[in-house]
Amino acid sequence: MKPPLFSPLRKGSVKQHILSHVAARNAPPGHYGDGASLWLHKLERARGKWVLRYFLKGRRCEMGLGPWPDVSMADARAAAARATLSAGQCPIETCCQQNRVIARLTVAQAIASCFEARKAQLKGAGAAGRWLSPLTVHVIPKIGDRAIEDID
């Protein structure tokens, strides 16, 4: 029998919520497990980071959930990465894909922001259209809606 693709987070079989707020605050630097793959890595007494440890396709992975105490214990326990993991998907890849979709800059947007930045250097603030006109006539209609990173 093949091993499962991911280790499910079973609430009944694993002790959860081992750490308390007071214990986390007073703990010296080190690594502290909260149960169900959640770890607090304290770098100093006053700062640390939350880490979600999981197995996916036979490999151990770690995903940072944010700095402690900025990210509360309740937020770390209810992280959206757990739902993605229980659906059988890699939470790190899912997060990277979402960030790529949000940050897609098109050619038309780049041309517009570049024109605004250069406007002060152009004669008559670019009102004659000699700088922008060729781009709006030839470039934007053909590749204006494509993302910058897709152009070679």
Side-chain angles (χ1 to χ4, degrees), residues 63 80 84-85 89-100:
M63 179 181 181
T84 305
L85 185 62
Q89 299 172 344
C90 180
I92 296 173
E93 289 176 8
T94 305
C95 183
C96 289
Q97 288 173 352
Q98 289 171 351
N99 289 342
R100 269 189 242 125

Side-chain angles (χ1 to χ4, degrees), residues 69-110:
D70 296 342
V71 174
S72 69
M73 191 175 290
D75 290 342
R77 287 174 176 164
R82 290 177 182 263
T84 305
L85 185 62
S86 64
Q89 299 172 344
C90 180
I92 296 173
E93 289 176 8
T94 305
C95 183
C96 289
Q97 288 173 352
Q98 289 171 351
N99 289 342
R100 269 189 242 125
V101 169
I102 291 170
R104 291 186 76 98
L105 179 68
T106 64
V107 173
Q109 292 170 339

Side-chain angles (χ1 to χ4, degrees), residues 18 28 52 56-58 75-76 85 98 104 111 115 134 137 149:
I18 297 169
L52 180 67
L56 187 68
K57 298 178 184 172
D75 290 342
L85 185 62
Q98 289 171 351
R104 291 186 76 98
I111 289 172
F115 177 68
V137 171
E149 61 261 10

Side-chain angles (χ1 to χ4, degrees), residues 111 128-144:
I111 289 172
R130 290 188 199 132
W131 192 90
L132 190 59
S133 178
L135 295 172
T136 56
V137 171
H138 301 288
V139 177
I140 293 175
K142 292 181 179 145
I143 60 170

